[in-house]
Amino acid sequence: MKELEINFGMGVGLPWEKITEGYMVKLDLMKSENDVFQQNKLKIIDAALSIEATLERMLLDYFFGGQIYEDVKRYEFENMVLSSSWFTFGNKHRLVITTLKNRGFLCKKDLDLLNSLLHKVAEYRNAFTHGKHKIDTPFCCLTHFKNESIDTELSDDYFIKMEKRFHDCNEILSFLSCRIGYTIGKYSKPPNQDYPSPPDCMKGKYD
């Protein structure tokens, strides 16, 4: 099984130890296929958490400006809304997409691309968080629920496509986070420097 190469996350670092469903994983000692699966699972969850944190930061910066810690409303919004269990990844995803659409931050093709990538991130996270790894089958697979119970083959091609989607999503959100920062005045544009360039996966022109 291919080991995922996702080079961003919430800062837990590699190698690390983490307990998932009673299974302690030490990434620098992994050898078996099941161990690689557990490693990939942790990377997927970690990367999804990082993307969710970026969505939260974008919403805070857009609605409340820069990191002004004495802003009571910003603090309340962060703790009472963004950090609450009822305001899910899907809620943050939809609010960010709606905000970007209303303000015209992205062309339609790039907005559709980001929307699709965020859906895939949530899908991967849910599948690997709640799914079951099967090795006693003709091919290594993940059994998970998506409207119905399905078996997904964990091929190298599957993980290669996943890697690209995670990286593209992270790069687009990082680009947008900086653009929103400039728009609301959180950052000062350096003299004689251009705005950050959009990642290669984006199609629109952004001056």
Side-chain angles (χ1 to χ4, degrees), residues 8-126:
F8 65 92
M10 289 295 288
V12 290
L14 289 175
W16 76 81
E17 292 182 352
K18 192 165 184 176
I19 297 176
T20 304
E21 298 173 357
Y23 184 95
M24 178 163 282
V25 181
K26 193 161 188 170
L27 298 187
D28 57 345
L29 300 177
M30 292 199 162
K31 298 295 182 183
S32 74
E33 187 173 83
N34 187 60
D35 287 339
V36 175
F37 170 83
Q38 294 292 340
Q39 171 183 343
N40 287 346
K41 174 179 177 177
L42 292 179
K43 285 185 177 181
I44 291 164
I45 294 171
D46 187 45
L49 285 171
S50 177
I51 286 172
E52 185 172 7
T54 302
L55 293 176
E56 293 176 0
R57 186 169 62 253
M58 289 171 65
L59 291 170
L60 280 171
D61 287 349
Y62 178 76
F63 287 108
F64 297 97
Q67 296 181 12
I68 305 171
Y69 295 105
E70 62 269 22
D71 187 331
V72 175
K73 288 185 177 180
R74 177 188 172 100
Y75 176 83
E76 288 179 342
F77 183 76
E78 182 175 11
N79 286 275
M80 296 171 62
V81 179
L82 293 182
S83 299
S84 66
S85 59
W86 58 266
F87 199 70
T88 63
F89 182 99
N91 295 136
K92 297 163 193 174
H93 165 186
R94 286 188 290 273
L95 184 53
V96 165
I97 291 295
T98 300
T99 302
L100 295 172
K101 181 179 180 180
N102 290 346
R103 287 298 302 268
F105 279 114
L106 289 179
C107 70
K108 186 177 186 306
K109 284 186 178 180
D110 288 336
L111 189 69
D112 290 344
L113 172 61
L114 178 60
N115 191 38
S116 173
L117 290 171
L118 286 169
H119 276 298
K120 294 302 293 186
V121 166
E123 182 182 310
Y124 289 136
R125 182 202 60 184
N126 292 340

Side-chain angles (χ1 to χ4, degrees), residues 162-191:
M162 180 193 293
E163 280 178 358
K164 178 167 174 42
R165 286 167 174 156
F166 267 102
H167 283 297
D168 285 352
C169 187
N170 183 60
E171 288 180 356
I172 293 173
L173 290 177
S174 296
F175 166 75
L176 285 170
S177 181
C178 197
R179 295 282 293 199
I180 289 173
Y182 285 136
T183 300
I184 62 173
K186 177 183 175 185
Y187 310 120
S188 296
K189 182 181 175 183

Side-chain angles (χ1 to χ4, degrees), residues 126-145:
N126 292 340
F128 279 80
T129 299
H130 304 294
K132 182 179 180 181
H133 180 214
K134 285 187 176 180
I135 56 176
D136 56 344
T137 55
F139 53 86
C140 181
C141 70
L142 178 71
T143 299
H144 58 105
F145 192 83

